[in-house]
């Protein structure tokens, strides 16, 4: 593979090139734009053109989505990032630190769910053999609705 010259590196990308490089569908790119997550300019022929830095923004969006961060939270976090330069390591550290507690909480809940899947979930149904042992007389109902042992929060 040859070296890229300065013109190639500075050249803006078409929507198709961004889709191919990022692994995101063109329709998703348009959606991200409508949500203000990414921006494009227009060519003389009125076609979308993206700065190369959009690839890093899309990578952050995809990483956050894979971690289960709701798109609204991603959008709010991304709105604090400057649009006039690529996202920096410091920017990413700030974003990921803000999401870390939320991810740790989700991990804790998932581990609890995994470990108790075959046991009583404290729903108050009293229909499983184990319920009289784990929830005698439906005492967990006093703690509120839902599966109290899985989601004590």
């Amino acid at each position: 593979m040859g070296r890229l010259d300065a013109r190639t590196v500075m050249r803006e990308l078409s929507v198709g090139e961004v889709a191919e490089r990022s692994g995101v569908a063109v329709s998703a790119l348009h959606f991200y734009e409508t949500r203000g997550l990414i921006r494009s300019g227009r060519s003389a022929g009125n076609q979308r053109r993206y700065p190369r830095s959009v690839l890093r923004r899309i990578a952050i969006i995809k990483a956050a989505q894979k971690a289960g961060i709701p798109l609204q939270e991603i959008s709010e976090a991304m709105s604090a990032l400057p649009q006039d330069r690529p996202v920096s390591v410091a920017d990413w550290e700030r974003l990921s630190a803000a999401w870390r507690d939320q991810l740790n909480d989700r991990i804790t809940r998932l581990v609890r769910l995994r470990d108790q899947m075959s046991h009583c979930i404290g729903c108050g149904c009293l229909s499983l053999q184990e319920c009289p042992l784990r929830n005698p007389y439906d005492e967990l109902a006093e703690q509120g609705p839902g599966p109290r042992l899985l989601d004590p929060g």
Side-chain angles (χ1 to χ4, degrees):
M1 184 152 113
R3 289 185 53 145
L4 297 176
D5 64 25
R7 286 186 315 247
T8 303
V9 171
M10 297 307 295
R11 184 180 63 80
E12 292 184 321
L13 302 171
S14 70
V15 68
E17 290 170 320
V18 173
E20 183 178 342
R21 291 277 312 273
S22 67
V24 172
V26 169
S27 59
L29 296 174
H30 294 171
F31 177 73
Y32 291 164
E33 257 191 276
T34 62
R35 298 291 301 261
L37 293 163
I38 61 174
R39 290 187 187 162
S40 68
R42 294 290 178 161
S43 70
N46 202 29
Q47 295 176 333
R48 282 185 169 88
R49 292 290 183 252
Y50 295 90
R52 288 182 174 280
S53 61
V54 78
L55 296 171
R56 190 170 292 167
R57 292 180 74 86
I58 294 167
I60 290 171
I61 294 165
K62 287 177 65 174
Q65 286 180 312
K66 283 186 179 192
I69 306 298
L71 195 56
Q72 180 60 39
E73 286 184 40
I74 298 169
S75 180
E76 289 168 10
M78 298 290 279
S79 71
L81 298 177
Q83 290 281 345
D84 61 342
R85 65 166 174 78
V87 176
S88 69
V89 171
D91 293 329
W92 171 244
E93 287 173 352
R94 223 174 16 263
L95 289 177
S96 61
W99 292 326
R100 190 167 287 115
D101 288 342
Q102 182 180 352
L103 293 175
N104 285 335
D105 181 58
R106 184 174 297 121
I107 290 166
T108 299
R109 289 172 187 267
L110 287 171
V111 167
R112 187 181 308 121
L113 176 62
R114 180 201 64 205
D115 292 348
Q116 294 187 1
M117 284 291 273
S118 62
H119 299 319
C120 176
I121 58 174
C123 66
C125 69
L126 298 175
S127 63
L128 298 173
Q129 278 187 330
E130 207 169 313
C131 279
L133 299 174
R134 294 181 70 108
N135 188 20
Y137 309 109
D138 196 19
E139 293 167 354
L140 291 172
E142 296 173 17
Q143 296 178 15
R148 304 311 307 162
L149 297 178
L150 284 182
D151 193 12

